[in-house]
DNA sequence: GTCAGACATGAATGTGCCTTCTTGTGCGAG
DNA sequence: CTCGCACAAGAAGGCACATTCATGTCTGAC
């Protein structure tokens, strides 16, 4: 195994996996618990903090703040502070954020269409694991 | 706020957010660190454990095992054990797993195309945060 | 007997998201 | 003065994924 062959192989592979790793990072971010909910809500237009808070079932003020901050940091969301009292803060998707909606919707469509299959697979897997009392085998 | 209006509003909203939550769960799963790498590798055809181990830079035997088991449980991957010594175990995408590749690739394309923007947004956000020594404002 | 190969798993630890609870800010109303 | 409003943030703890290290399994070769 000469260095030149090893370099070529690794270099080629790195290019591929660098893409995959970036995918993975993006997925990890938008896969955070509240991200998609919030992105999809903002896809309908600018919303103020309290609107979002009320409409996202189960989210706390704290989590909403954190999530919005993360999305803002990624450039997906724009935050607008109004110099009024009581304070008012609006959030809207940026162009980047809006461009993310399509692939997210596509993935969401896939998830919705295949939920039953995934759940069934999990149930079957767990049943096989329980029956065997160990790792299920295919032999 | 009568019960009927409240019920209608909540019911309608739950339907939407139930979808979003399922999306979020799926995203969280495939957003796990190694999932996409492994899915995309298997998209090229059946691979044996040790092949995957060698080709995924940085993954340990342990993490590969765990990740593959998770994907198998979700029905995305099929595991085939050969009754030979030394042991041989092959993994391949199921039809479900293959159907996932398209949306994942679409999202990956988006991520690759917008990496620079996200990175720039992050840098800008962090710089604003540092300059202000506090929460950046848009006023 | 030991060792190797290929894969799976147990145990302990680290990390980061998630959550709850609490406090802070800046004004106006009473 | 206290309280309310709308939003942001600090502190502490929980939980699950990720990691490292070690061990286990089943055979064949030596």
């Amino acid at each position: 195994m000469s260095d030149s062959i090893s370099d070529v192989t690794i270099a080629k592979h790195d290019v591929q996996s660098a893409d995959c790793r970036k995918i993975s990072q993006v997925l990890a971010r938008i896969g955070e618990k509240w991200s998609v909910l919030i992105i999809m809500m903002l896809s309908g237009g600018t919303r103020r903090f309290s609107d979002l808070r009320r409409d996202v079932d189960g989210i706390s003020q704290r989590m909403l703040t954190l999530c919005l901050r993360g999305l803002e940091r990624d450039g997906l969301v724009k935050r607008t502070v109004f110099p009024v009292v009581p304070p008012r803060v609006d959030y809207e998707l940026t162009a980047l954020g809006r461009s993310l909606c399509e692939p997210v919707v596509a993935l969401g469509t896939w998830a919705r269409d295949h939920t039953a299959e995934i759940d069934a697979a999990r149930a079957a897997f767990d049943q096989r694991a329980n029956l065997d009392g160990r790792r299920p085998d295919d032999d």
Side-chain angles (χ1 to χ4, degrees), chain A residues 111-112 114-127:
Chain A
R112 195 189 59 215
H114 298 283
T115 293
E117 287 167 80
I118 293 176
D119 289 343
R122 284 176 177 171
F125 182 89
D126 291 342
Q127 189 176 24

Side-chain angles (χ1 to χ4, degrees), chain A residues 22-126:
Chain A
K22 183 58 67 172
I23 298 178
S24 203
Q25 282 175 24
V26 171
L27 283 179
R29 188 44 171 266
I30 63 178
E32 285 171 11
K33 181 167 179 180
W34 301 105
S35 294
V36 167
L37 277 172
I38 291 169
I39 289 172
M40 297 316 290
M41 282 197 167
L42 291 179
S43 69
T46 302
R47 302 290 293 273
R48 66 186 298 177
F49 184 94
S50 42
D51 281 347
L52 291 171
R53 173 80 197 282
R54 191 178 52 241
D55 285 352
V56 183
D57 271 355
I59 197 168
S60 66
Q61 187 172 316
R62 178 71 172 148
M63 290 314 306
L64 183 55
T65 299
L66 290 182
C67 183
L68 285 168
R69 188 184 323 163
L71 294 174
E72 185 192 0
R73 183 168 177 275
D74 288 344
L76 300 174
V77 161
K78 180 183 179 187
R79 174 174 176 270
T80 306
V81 182
F82 294 84
V84 294
V85 173
R88 168 179 180 157
V89 183
D90 280 5
Y91 292 89
E92 62 189 300
L93 289 181
T94 61
L96 185 63
R98 285 195 297 276
S99 72
L100 177 60
C101 287
E102 188 177 323
V104 165
V105 167
L107 195 53
T109 302
W110 182 90
R112 195 189 59 215
D113 291 347
H114 298 283
T115 293
E117 287 167 80
I118 293 176
D119 289 343
R122 284 176 177 171
F125 182 89
D126 291 342

